[in-house]
Amino acid sequence: MPELFCKVCGVHLPDGGAHCHNCKSPSKRRLSKCALIRGAFLFTPELRSLIHALKYKGRLSLARELALAAEPRFSAYDDLSHYSVLVPVPLSAARLRERGFNQSRLLAEVLAAHSGATVLEGALFKVRHTPAQARLDGQARLSNLEGAFEASSAAAG
């Protein structure tokens, strides 16, 4: 069976293959500095609705359900099957005050509890507030986040 995701950026490849159009050559690579990106789900309208209910309507119980559904999917990737550390993506202080919780931290805590991984708090911090990503396309999302995060010494190695 062919792989259904790009081996670099993780984008869905409905016809299979090793790399998407953007990752086939270094000159066309995305702005992302990540060496490996994987997702547990395809971003369908239904998934978008669940994520928005969690993030914008405070349906915190969805974090548990999404994380439990994601855990076996992450384990299915050979390159992620032995992960041991989860790093929640931090929110800006303003966004955290506004929302009252960090959804990636909630997801990481549930994943850690069921996988044996450790949640590494404080490995990343947001150094500048960014506009919301929800209405931006892929390229604009990457540009929006450029220089927005820094790693702490806790992330060494």
Side-chain angles (χ1 to χ4, degrees):
M1 173 175 216
E3 296 292 344
L4 298 178
F5 58 90
C6 174
K7 292 200 177 297
V8 175
C9 72
V11 72
H12 177 63
L13 300 173
D15 299 320
H19 299 94
C20 71
H21 178 71
N22 288 328
C23 294
K24 282 183 181 176
S25 71
S27 64
K28 292 185 179 181
R29 295 246 167 135
R30 296 172 183 225
L31 292 173
S32 176
K33 305 288 191 283
C34 296
L36 178 70
I37 301 171
R38 295 291 176 262
F41 309 106
L42 294 179
F43 194 64
T44 63
E46 295 82 9
L47 181 62
R48 180 179 187 218
S49 177
L50 291 171
I51 291 170
H52 284 196
L54 167 62
K55 288 174 67 172
Y56 307 123
K57 295 180 180 169
R59 300 266 318 271
L60 302 185
S61 64
L62 289 172
R64 177 177 168 73
E65 300 307 319
L66 287 167
L68 290 176
E71 198 281 325
R73 294 169 186 255
F74 285 130
S75 298
Y77 290 116
D78 288 341
D79 41 16
L80 293 180
S81 62
H82 302 293
Y83 68 91
S84 61
V85 175
L86 298 166
V87 178
V89 176
L91 298 174
S92 68
R95 185 86 66 225
L96 184 57
R97 277 192 307 275
E98 174 187 310
R99 193 169 291 157
F101 62 92
N102 178 341
Q103 70 281 353
S104 69
R105 181 176 181 206
L106 296 175
L107 292 165
E109 288 171 349
V110 175
L111 277 170
H114 286 84
S115 69
T118 300
V119 177
L120 187 58
E121 288 288 341
L124 292 176
F125 55 97
K126 197 154 190 184
V127 294
R128 68 176 175 83
H129 182 75
T130 55
Q133 297 276 86
R135 291 188 170 86
L136 302 177
D137 67 21
Q139 194 67 33
R141 285 175 179 232
L142 292 172
S143 297
N144 187 37
L145 295 178
E146 188 73 27
F149 299 96
E150 288 185 8
S152 72
S153 59

